[in-house]
Amino acid sequence: MATYVAPVPILTTSRVAPEARGWTSWITTTDHKRIGILYMVTTFVFFCLGGVEALLMRLQLGAPNNTLVTPQTYNQLFTMHGTTMIFLFVVPMMAGLANYFVPLMIGARDMAFPRLNALSYWLLLTGGIVFYASIFFNPPEAGWVSFVPLAESTFSPAGGEDAWIYLIHLTGLSSILGAINFYTTIVNMRARGMSWGRLPLFIWTILTYSVLLVFALPVIAAAVTMLLTDRHAGTHFFDPANGGSPLMWQHLFWFFGHPEVYIMVLPGFGLISEILPVFARKPIFGYKAIAASTVAIAFLGFLTWAHHMFTAPVPEAILIFVLLSSYLIAVPTGVKILNWIATLWRGTIEYKTPLLFCVGAIAIFVIGGLSGVFLATFPIDWQVNETYFVVAHLHFVLMGGSVFAIFAGIYYWFPKITGRMLSEGLGKASFLLMFIGVLTTFLIQHVIGLDGMPRRVYEYENVGHLELYNQISTVGAFILALGVVLTIVNVARSLKTGVVAGGDPWKANTLEWFTPSPPPQNNFDRVPSVRSAEPMKDIRREIERRTTGAPVSAAVVPAGATQVGV
């Protein structure tokens, strides 16, 4: 007896309500693409604010015994800078890119929970406003890690530290709601045929990023709640005079803080893994190894938190375990780097701006990784932990693993978001200035640290060549800033006069390029089935077969479903 199968209704553009217009539509939107744009614009504004704070610090350190800013102002600047870059730029910028592109890349028409998605953005914005409102009374000055007892009310009685705590709560809640949304969307809303072995590598990293957030954020939420009650409710969680322990703050913070490093860099690795094969004109080398290494890095990231605490009173057995686990995490990271290099090897390279930022990201991250091996060796860490060597290491890791990868993503996906191409000339100039700026600013800081200059100090004596080294670092910071300004100019110019991009200007591999540029409100008229990890290549092959009169697989390109000229 034949079984009746009900036809699956197909959503078409004509059945979708017209897209709302005007500024109020942005406030009330639940469209994942608009929310992604709100994330990206907001976090880039915070990035610029954090950059200005960094430049002010570098101006202060450009000369010994400088008096450009007061000691208190300097402490406030580096607290605001570090907090902004980590909590208000890198992590939410990755969320913004994921908001826009996860549904498009997996063949979904929206996120699983659109209203929850909107709430995540507004919580982020509220946290940023609360934090920056503190500049009107007394900004926090206990550093972005807010170590106790410095962050306790005895030493930081002003409300700026409370603003920092509220920022962590609000942005943490935003991130954890977003993580749940990403996880649910990826697990349940993939296109037909998109198995785990065909998932885009950027999606693999966002899935892992989401799991890391779910496990790590409750720990920092508990820590800042205890700090808040210590400050205002008479508890003594971190007060050794009343049975508490300042060391507990470090354990709680770094149990979140080290996975946070991978929360920041894994999506960047995903961006690199998507962009390199497009401009190498060959498949990614070792797809399964890269996906597996992403999961391995996430797991090992929870075993290495105490390498931030080598100078704390921790038993040597723990130090040895953390040393070995820190070495071990370099293995899956090295797998990624070798596979990226193998992808480029003998490829038909197209030297476009997104590729340059990816290659720059790899080079910068490798330098940060090499200095990280030294810092993971605790006898060396004992000597350099509180010096500028650590500042150099952190910035190389985050500039390579996050910032340069983000800029690669901006140049790669800008045509999809806006329908216009960015200028290649301005883009390459921006890359060159940023690359030179990063090397000039932070390479010399390894030497500054080895010469014994402590971090978190607002002035120094001109011992040895410290003045010259700091002047070089300051000049590099302004070169880096000029590179960022060129990208801002490029974006502003291209929004009005950029070349029209078309649906798939890069001849890319993943499903977001199947849609027009920018995509319609419903993303897809019909979602194509997926037969490999490079579905757009399959679609182009089918289109070629169709134009030559050969049989066409309807499973790949359903009749009437082609949305762009490929």
Side-chain angles (χ1 to χ4, degrees):
M1 179 178 178
T3 303
Y4 172 73
V5 179
V8 178
I10 301 297
L11 182 64
T12 61
T13 306
S14 61
R15 294 171 58 187
V16 177
E19 187 172 359
R21 303 289 181 181
W23 66 270
T24 55
S25 66
W26 287 87
I27 295 176
T28 58
T29 186
T30 57
D31 179 3
H32 72 95
K33 297 181 290 299
R34 284 192 162 199
I35 292 170
I37 292 171
L38 288 171
Y39 262 106
M40 288 183 271
V41 172
T42 301
T43 56
F44 202 88
V45 169
F46 285 126
F47 173 66
C48 293
L49 291 173
V52 170
E53 291 152 4
L55 292 177
L56 288 173
M57 287 190 287
R58 285 312 322 165
L59 285 173
Q60 168 65 21
L61 296 172
N65 301 311
N66 202 353
T67 58
L68 178 67
V69 300
T70 65
Q72 182 183 29
T73 300
Y74 185 86
N75 290 343
Q76 292 166 347
L77 284 171
F78 83 73
T79 301
M80 300 285 283
H81 167 73
T83 304
T84 298
M85 291 304 192
I86 290 174
F87 295 103
L88 291 173
F89 172 60
V90 174
V91 176
M93 174 60 85
M94 296 301 186
L97 291 168
N99 257 290
Y100 199 104
F101 288 103
V102 163
L104 290 167
M105 294 179 82
I106 66 172
R109 292 194 170 90
D110 207 328
M111 297 287 285
F113 308 114
R115 289 182 177 84
L116 196 68
N117 200 25
L119 176 62
S120 297
Y121 167 74
W122 292 109
L123 286 170
L124 166 74
L125 181 62
T126 303
I129 291 172
V130 167
F131 182 63
Y132 268 87
S134 68
I135 65 175
F136 297 108
F137 48 96
N138 204 340
E141 50 185 301
W144 73 272
V145 293
S146 284
F147 282 151
V148 296
L150 185 58
E152 295 277 16
S153 56
T154 303
F155 298 100
S156 297
E161 189 61 31
D162 298 317
W164 183 88
I165 292 171
Y166 295 138
L167 167 82
I168 302 302
H169 272 307
L170 290 168
T171 57
L173 183 57
S174 166
S175 292
I176 203 164
L177 293 178
I180 293 168
N181 211 349
F182 289 136
Y183 182 89
T184 307
T185 302
I186 294 168
V187 170
N188 294 294
M189 299 177 66
R190 302 190 304 276
R192 184 175 58 176
M194 186 173 282
S195 62
W196 294 109
R198 297 171 180 172
L199 210 60
L201 288 168
F202 179 69
I203 303 300
W204 269 111
T205 59
I206 293 299
L207 184 67
T208 310
Y209 155 102
S210 302
V211 173
L212 283 171
L213 283 170
V214 168
F215 280 101
L217 283 172
V219 179
I220 189 66
V224 297
T225 300
M226 287 188 278
L227 178 59
L228 186 65
T229 58
D230 269 15
R231 288 174 57 84
H232 298 291
T235 59
H236 304 285
F237 290 107
F238 306 116
D239 181 6
N242 292 278
S245 171
L247 195 61
M248 183 171 68
W249 171 266
Q250 292 199 39
H251 280 293
L252 291 172
F253 185 89
W254 289 120
F255 189 81
F256 151 82
H258 196 75
E260 175 79 349
V261 173
Y262 301 107
I263 289 167
M264 289 188 282
V265 302
L266 283 178
F269 290 170
L271 285 166
I272 294 170
S273 298
E274 294 297 340
I275 295 170
L276 284 185
V278 172
F279 296 100
R281 295 301 169 203
K282 57 184 290 194
I284 189 76
F285 184 90
Y287 169 93
K288 291 181 180 179
I290 293 178
S293 66
T294 299
V295 178
I297 289 171
F299 173 74
L300 293 171
F302 280 103
L303 303 180
T304 57
W305 83 91
H307 78 209
H308 296 274
M309 300 172 57
F310 280 155
T311 56
V314 178
E316 285 194 7
I318 301 297
L319 298 184
I320 293 170
F321 171 80
V322 173
L323 178 150
L324 294 175
S325 61
S326 300
Y327 284 174
L328 185 60
I329 206 168
V331 175
T333 308
V335 166
K336 288 182 179 293
I337 292 167
L338 290 174
N339 284 2
W340 291 334
I341 295 171
T343 301
L344 293 171
W345 182 255
R346 294 186 176 179
T348 307
I349 307 296
E350 293 187 13
Y351 293 95
K352 300 295 186 180
T353 304
L355 177 71
L356 296 179
F357 271 104
C358 284
V359 173
I362 295 169
I364 292 169
F365 185 83
V366 166
I367 295 172
L370 291 174
S371 62
V373 173
F374 289 99
L375 291 173
T377 308
F378 59 84
I380 298 176
D381 188 89
W382 287 341
Q383 305 301 316
V384 299
N385 182 276
E386 293 303 320
T387 73
Y388 262 79
F389 192 93
V390 174
V391 177
H393 161 73
L394 175 66
H395 283 84
F396 267 104
V397 168
L398 294 185
M399 289 300 296
S402 298
V403 177
F404 267 60
I406 287 169
F407 273 74
I410 290 171
Y411 277 88
Y412 179 64
W413 276 325
F414 184 85
K416 178 54 57 181
I417 297 171
T418 66
R420 296 192 177 266
M421 302 293 292
L422 287 167
S423 164
E424 279 293 308
L426 284 174
K428 289 174 180 176
S430 174
F431 161 75
L432 188 62
L433 287 170
M434 289 180 66
F435 189 71
I436 292 171
V438 167
L439 296 181
T440 306
T441 305
F442 301 113
L443 266 181
I444 198 69
Q445 289 184 4
H446 292 98
V447 181
I448 294 173
L450 292 174
D451 276 4
M453 182 171 169
R455 51 186 171 139
R456 309 188 185 103
V457 296
Y458 80 102
E459 66 176 2
Y460 57 92
E461 297 291 335
N462 186 22
V463 179
H465 300 288
L466 284 183
E467 180 178 13
L468 174 63
Y469 295 159
N470 275 286
Q471 286 174 347
I472 292 171
S473 185
T474 298
V475 169
F478 280 88
I479 294 173
L480 172 58
L482 181 58
V484 174
V485 169
L486 278 187
T487 288
I488 296 172
V489 171
N490 199 355
V491 168
R493 172 184 173 276
S494 297
L495 283 172
K496 291 187 176 181
T497 62
V499 176
V500 176
D504 186 14
W506 307 125
K507 295 293 184 280
N509 300 329
T510 43
L511 280 182
E512 75 272 23
W513 300 103
F514 184 63
T515 67
S517 301
Q521 188 176 7
N522 63 310
N523 292 349
F524 299 93
D525 293 339
R526 290 190 180 183
V527 180
S529 296
V530 175
R531 296 193 307 185
S532 73
E534 297 178 321
M536 279 302 290
K537 281 188 177 180
D538 298 332
I539 290 170
R540 281 193 293 271
R541 290 191 192 102
E542 293 294 336
I543 296 297
E544 288 175 8
R545 292 175 62 186
R546 178 179 294 168
T547 57
T548 58
V552 181
S553 172
V556 178
V557 189
T562 304
Q563 293 183 248
V564 298
V566 290

